[in-house]
Amino acid sequence: MIEIKVINRGRQPLPVYATEQSAGMDLRADIDEPVVLHSMERRLIGTGLYMALPEGYEAQVRPRSGLALKHGVTVLNSPGTIDADYRGEIKVLLVNLSSDDFVVNSGERIAQMVIARHEQSVFAVVGELDDTERGEGGYGHTGVK
């Protein structure tokens, strides 16, 4: 388990894991008044949270499955990446893909956040790549024939 420094300038509790083996923690809306998301509208929703991730880590902001299934509301740039050197407020870009309005209230669980280790890499330009069984098989190549 890693420690993450956080400042909570909002009115909501800090994110926590719902179960012992949860991968993500719910992020809550921290807004002054309800926000109406009309059909096909996108809005940036603040959480009141600021954090300092350790070097080599990122936070991934992902949709909540219940909001997507029940209301057609999801995270538009999914997964959104929060880099270790970002110090601004964590915000969630929500989009309403349903035909009905959706109201976001303060304290509502609007997304989940997964903390993940990552590596940086460098490209090595080569003349050819090694062969694999898959080769250039791309989209749908493993589908039923």
Side-chain angles (χ1 to χ4, degrees):
M1 187 165 304
I2 62 167
E3 181 179 276
I4 298 173
K5 295 175 183 164
V6 63
I7 295 173
N8 187 353
R9 293 191 177 138
R11 299 170 297 278
Q12 309 307 322
L14 290 178
V16 294
Y17 294 103
T19 67
E20 196 173 301
Q21 295 184 28
S22 293
M25 299 173 270
D26 287 336
L27 291 173
R28 295 177 182 271
D30 191 73
I31 49 182
D32 293 328
E33 57 190 38
V35 172
V36 177
L37 269 178
H38 301 291
S39 178
M40 301 308 293
E41 184 179 16
R42 62 188 180 271
R43 295 283 293 271
L44 205 52
I45 307 293
T47 65
L49 300 173
Y50 301 73
M51 68 181 173
L53 291 165
E55 186 175 335
Y57 286 85
E58 66 163 326
Q60 299 172 2
V61 179
R62 302 177 179 185
R64 290 194 62 243
S65 58
L67 277 183
L69 175 65
K70 296 175 187 171
H71 303 286
V73 174
T74 189
V75 176
L76 187 57
N77 61 323
S78 180
T81 295
I82 302 170
D83 296 307
D85 58 354
Y86 176 68
R87 294 296 181 268
E89 181 182 9
I90 297 170
K91 295 183 179 182
V92 177
L93 182 56
L94 289 181
V95 64
N96 181 357
L97 300 176
S98 78
S99 56
D100 300 320
D101 288 351
F102 179 77
V103 179
V104 180
N105 293 297
S106 194
E108 185 151 5
R109 296 177 300 151
I110 56 171
Q112 59 180 322
M113 180 173 64
V114 174
I115 307 298
R117 179 177 279 285
H118 71 84
E119 298 288 333
Q120 288 192 333
S121 57
V122 295
F123 288 105
V125 177
V126 297
E128 61 184 58
L129 302 175
D130 59 317
D131 289 329
T132 67
E133 184 179 330
R134 178 177 182 170
E136 293 184 20
Y139 291 101
H141 85 281
T142 60
V144 177
K145 295 183 182 188

